[in-house]
Amino acid sequence: MKHAQPLRIKYKIMVICITVIILPVFVMTISSYYSSERLLAQNYTNLLTDLAKQTNIRIDEFLKEIEKITLLASNGLSNNLSATHEGSFPIQDFLREGDEQNEIAAYNILMNYIMMKDRVFSIYLYNLNGGQDLFVSPNQPIDPDFKVANELWFKKFMHDNDRTITLTTRIDEQLKNKILAVSHARKIHDVASGELLGVIVVSIDIKFIEIVNRNLQEGLRSRFMIVDENDKIVYNVNDRLIGTLFRDNVRPPESLNVVVTSPLSQQKWTTYLYMPLDELTADGKILGHNLVTLSIVLVLFAAIISIFLSHVITTPIKKLLRNISLVEKGQFEQVEHIRSRDEIGHLSVRFNKMSHELKLMVERMQQEEIEKAKAEMRALHDQIKPHFLYNTLGSVKWIASMQQADKIVEMTDALISMLRYATRSDGTLVTIREEIDNIANYVTIQNVRYYDCIQMNYEIEERLLDYYMPKMILQPIVENAIFHGLAEFEEDGAISIRIQPQGSDIVIEVCDNGVGMDQHTIQNFMEDKLEADKGTGIGLHNVQRRIQLHFGKPYGIQVASQIGEGTTFTILLPAIIEIT
């Protein structure tokens, strides 16, 4: 590893030299290349944008003619294609009275208009007045068996209040050839009565867009498409893509193509025209080859320079590595000063200062370890005190057992359990089961004092015993109930502990049948005025404070009591099933 280190530094210096020398040339070359490419792409973008706008104008003209035919048919057309005189409405006359004369008049009017528009239109006049329909299609044969009334769009159009509807690219079922077409439908109402007479549908073969695009190059025609507001393809050279989602099929990635979009004014459609970027220039490969050649020459030049620089730089670095090795071994006094005025010299000075500070820190840590050992001895000495108390109580229990003093054995055993429970240091929360066991030990001791006059009743659901609560909450309350509620009773003193769920909380009730308290005493208790009075309320203020510090103001203790009827302490705690 020691022999390989200078080689690694040499390689690093070589990379730095290559970067410093080649980067400016490389950046300028790449910048020039991409600037030229962007300029070419911008020019093509402007060209494609102009082509798309010109195409949109022609498409808008065709779509406008569709709407114009339906509008004139609804408001009246004369034989000379001008506004008719009052009372002359050939289309409406045909829908009202479908005789041969009216049919010929309506057919001629519509046919004359179609012949003026490159014969790409088909017009269907559906009679809703009980008469026959009229179909005008100069280029495509009509399918007489098709019933437009069965079409979903027609049913919806008849149900809605809209006067017109534009149908995007779909198969024209009225024609035998089933061509793809864009249609515009309008309801025709009687100008006099307002009665709905029929529906006129003007259908235009989607191939009319090919007429519009006849001036585009062949490659651009295949990259021209129209998309509606729902991102569905309205027109594409490939008929199978019409009606599919644009983003799922042919949407060109803008990172690889020059893409222009242009909205149409007549419909909520957008035209897309694109050209791949790799077709814009043929000089990219030549420029890339020249760039690689230049980079190789510069790398060789930088490698020669880096070999020379490595000799100049590595000598003080080796000395610095030797100093580091000495510090690792703890030989701080043998660290050598490096005489160099460059950055490595400054680094050596800082390293020497750091090694001095490290020496002081090691000495300080050794002193701290000594102090830590002394503190551990003191802690061990402090632990002897509770152990001594447990052992002493155990000896008292053993002596009482030998002398068959069962009450002393029972009371000593309960006291040992209470001391161990109170001095546990494994957290502030315990299970309800552990808190109830502590209460049982406490009552055992008190029953020895009161000659078994205290009866305990527990009403607790088994599943609640595994919930958690703060330690030493119930003992001060039970103590208050015994000393200040049942102390005057010689017998029949009873304390009940009921625990039940309440929503997401737990309610604990401690009830006694003692002497009770008046409202003034209860109010003083709730206002924390009894803490100073050592005759009542012992420890209850501390319990209230601990609960609210732990869980917040909504939780805590409430007291209900009547003189001569006992006292009920109600504790509200959150239901905690596990400790996180």
Side-chain angles (χ1 to χ4, degrees):
M1 293 297 293
K2 294 182 179 179
H3 295 289
Q5 185 70 16
L7 294 178
R8 288 198 296 269
I9 295 176
K10 183 180 295 185
Y11 290 141
K12 292 178 181 179
I13 295 174
M14 186 179 297
V15 171
I16 293 173
C17 293
I18 291 174
T19 303
V20 170
I21 295 174
I22 200 173
L23 187 59
V25 177
F26 183 77
V27 169
M28 287 188 295
T29 304
I30 295 298
S31 177
S32 299
Y33 173 76
Y34 281 106
S35 295
S36 300
E37 190 176 65
R38 285 195 298 269
L39 181 60
L40 188 60
Q42 184 62 43
N43 292 336
Y44 268 92
T45 300
N46 295 336
L47 175 62
L48 294 179
T49 301
D50 292 338
L51 290 175
K53 288 182 179 179
Q54 292 299 323
T55 302
N56 284 4
I57 292 174
R58 294 291 308 280
I59 294 174
D60 281 330
E61 289 177 356
F62 275 88
L63 297 177
K64 191 180 298 182
E65 292 300 330
I66 295 177
E67 186 175 357
K68 186 186 296 182
I69 293 175
T70 62
L71 180 62
L72 293 175
S74 175
N75 294 331
L77 285 172
S78 66
N79 290 330
N80 57 6
L81 301 178
S82 62
T84 61
H85 61 275
E86 183 179 358
S88 177
F89 300 96
I91 300 300
Q92 296 191 13
D93 291 342
F94 167 74
L95 293 175
R96 282 193 298 265
E97 300 176 6
D99 54 28
E100 183 178 357
Q101 181 179 357
N102 289 332
E103 179 181 357
I104 293 173
Y107 185 90
N108 289 336
I109 290 172
L110 297 177
M111 178 58 78
N112 288 338
Y113 199 85
I114 289 176
M115 297 299 289
M116 296 175 60
K117 300 300 178 183
D118 297 328
R119 301 165 62 88
V120 295
F121 294 115
S122 297
I123 301 178
Y124 317 128
L125 194 60
Y126 298 110
N127 198 325
L128 302 179
N129 200 34
Q132 63 180 353
D133 300 332
L134 178 62
F135 306 113
V136 183
S137 179
N139 283 340
Q140 300 290 340
I142 297 296
D143 183 0
D145 297 328
F146 173 70
K147 302 298 182 183
V148 72
N150 297 329
E151 290 292 299
L152 180 62
W153 72 265
F154 190 83
K155 294 178 181 178
K156 186 175 182 298
F157 185 43
M158 291 297 98
H159 182 267
D160 294 341
N161 295 326
D162 297 335
R163 294 288 298 270
T164 64
I165 185 175
T166 298
L167 304 176
T168 187
T169 307
R170 64 183 182 87
I171 296 177
D172 191 342
E173 301 287 349
Q174 190 66 68
L175 300 175
K176 287 185 177 181
N177 294 338
K178 310 301 181 186
I179 66 171
L180 291 171
V182 178
S183 304
H184 183 78
R186 182 183 295 271
K187 297 175 182 176
I188 300 177
H189 294 268
D190 193 307
V191 295
S193 64
E195 177 187 0
L196 180 61
L197 300 177
V199 174
I200 184 171
V201 177
V202 179
S203 177
I204 180 172
D205 189 343
I206 197 64
K207 297 298 183 183
F208 84 92
I209 296 180
E210 296 180 3
I211 299 174
V212 172
N213 290 340
R214 64 166 64 101
N215 294 327
L216 289 178
Q217 298 177 0
E218 184 65 28
L220 290 179
R221 292 180 190 175
S222 62
R223 296 165 186 156
F224 177 84
M225 64 200 72
I226 302 177
V227 180
D228 65 12
E229 69 274 16
N230 296 320
D231 203 42
K232 289 186 176 180
I233 299 175
V234 176
Y235 170 77
N236 189 279
V237 173
N238 187 354
D239 292 345
R240 289 178 296 178
L241 295 177
I242 295 178
T244 62
L245 286 177
F246 177 55
R247 60 177 176 270
D248 294 341
N249 291 281
V250 294
R251 185 181 184 93
E254 296 187 3
S255 59
L256 302 177
N257 299 271
V258 176
V259 182
V260 298
T261 61
S262 180
L264 278 78
S265 61
Q266 290 298 309
Q267 296 292 334
K268 294 180 180 179
W269 296 349
T270 303
T271 59
Y272 281 81
L273 191 60
Y274 69 96
M275 175 179 289
L277 290 174
D278 56 8
E279 295 183 8
L280 298 183
T281 177
D283 299 330
K285 293 183 179 180
I286 298 176
L287 182 60
H289 181 268
N290 294 337
L291 183 62
V292 171
T293 303
L294 180 61
S295 299
I296 292 174
V297 173
L298 292 176
V299 166
L300 293 175
F301 178 71
I304 295 173
I305 295 178
S306 65
I307 294 174
F308 172 76
L309 291 178
S310 64
H311 273 291
V312 177
I313 297 176
T314 54
T315 300
I317 291 179
K318 289 179 180 179
K319 293 182 179 180
L320 182 60
L321 287 174
R322 179 178 177 276
N323 290 341
I324 294 174
S325 177
L326 293 173
V327 171
E328 289 177 350
K329 297 176 182 179
Q331 301 173 2
F332 298 100
E333 294 80 6
Q334 300 181 19
V335 173
E336 180 183 0
H337 178 68
I338 299 175
R339 298 182 180 276
S340 179
R341 295 182 180 181
D342 57 11
E343 286 78 2
I344 297 178
H346 290 293
L347 180 62
S348 174
V349 173
R350 295 299 179 92
F351 177 77
N352 292 342
K353 291 182 179 180
M354 183 189 72
S355 63
H356 178 69
E357 293 293 332
L358 183 61
K359 178 182 178 182
L360 296 178
M361 184 178 68
V362 170
E363 294 174 351
R364 193 162 51 248
M365 290 178 61
Q366 292 174 346
Q367 184 65 30
E368 289 176 355
E369 287 295 328
I370 296 174
E371 294 296 331
K372 181 179 178 182
K374 293 180 179 179
E376 290 177 351
M377 290 298 297
R378 287 195 297 270
L380 182 61
H381 178 73
D382 291 339
Q383 289 178 357
I384 295 176
K385 297 177 182 178
H387 288 178
F388 175 75
L389 182 58
Y390 295 152
N391 293 335
T392 302
L393 290 174
S395 299
V396 173
K397 174 183 175 183
W398 179 77
I399 294 173
S401 176
M402 293 294 295
Q403 297 180 0
Q404 297 183 352
D406 295 337
K407 288 295 183 180
I408 298 177
V409 172
E410 183 180 1
M411 182 173 64
T412 305
D413 195 34
L415 180 58
I416 292 174
S417 298
M418 286 189 65
L419 287 174
R420 285 178 176 162
Y421 179 77
T423 57
R424 277 171 51 184
S425 60
D426 55 350
T428 59
L429 296 181
V430 296
T431 62
I432 295 177
R433 187 188 308 276
E434 293 174 316
E435 185 75 358
I436 293 297
D437 290 343
N438 185 61
I439 292 299
N441 291 325
Y442 175 74
V443 173
T444 296
I445 296 173
Q446 295 302 326
N447 266 328
V448 173
R449 176 179 178 181
Y450 290 100
Y451 305 100
D452 293 325
C453 291
I454 304 171
Q455 300 296 323
M456 292 297 298
N457 300 313
Y458 301 96
E459 300 177 19
I460 308 172
E461 295 184 24
E462 181 66 25
R463 66 183 182 88
L464 297 180
L465 292 174
D466 294 325
Y467 281 62
Y468 287 85
M469 65 180 293
K471 186 168 65 175
M472 299 297 292
I473 292 296
L474 297 181
Q475 189 268 335
I477 296 177
V478 172
E479 179 181 349
N480 186 80
I482 293 174
F483 289 145
H484 306 288
L486 305 179
E488 299 179 5
F489 283 28
E490 296 183 358
E491 58 183 10
D492 296 333
I495 299 176
S496 298
I497 298 180
R498 290 191 293 269
I499 303 179
Q500 55 189 359
Q502 180 176 295
S504 60
D505 300 323
I506 290 180
V507 176
I508 302 176
E509 292 183 352
V510 180
C511 307
D512 65 67
N513 60 347
V515 297
M517 295 184 289
D518 57 22
Q519 292 300 320
H520 178 71
T521 305
I522 294 175
Q523 182 177 358
N524 288 340
F525 167 75
M526 297 304 294
E527 293 177 356
D528 300 336
K529 294 181 178 179
L530 296 178
E531 186 64 18
D533 185 358
K534 301 303 180 181
T536 58
I538 299 175
L540 295 181
H541 173 62
N542 179 266
V543 172
Q544 176 83 331
R545 181 173 174 271
R546 285 175 55 207
I547 293 176
Q548 293 187 346
L549 285 176
H550 222 87
F551 304 115
K553 291 295 184 180
Y555 299 97
I557 305 174
Q558 292 185 353
V559 185
S561 181
Q562 292 288 339
I563 297 297
E565 297 182 6
T567 303
T568 298
F569 296 88
T570 303
I571 308 171
L572 181 63
L573 299 173
I576 303 175
I577 188 60
E578 60 180 354
I579 301 177
T580 57

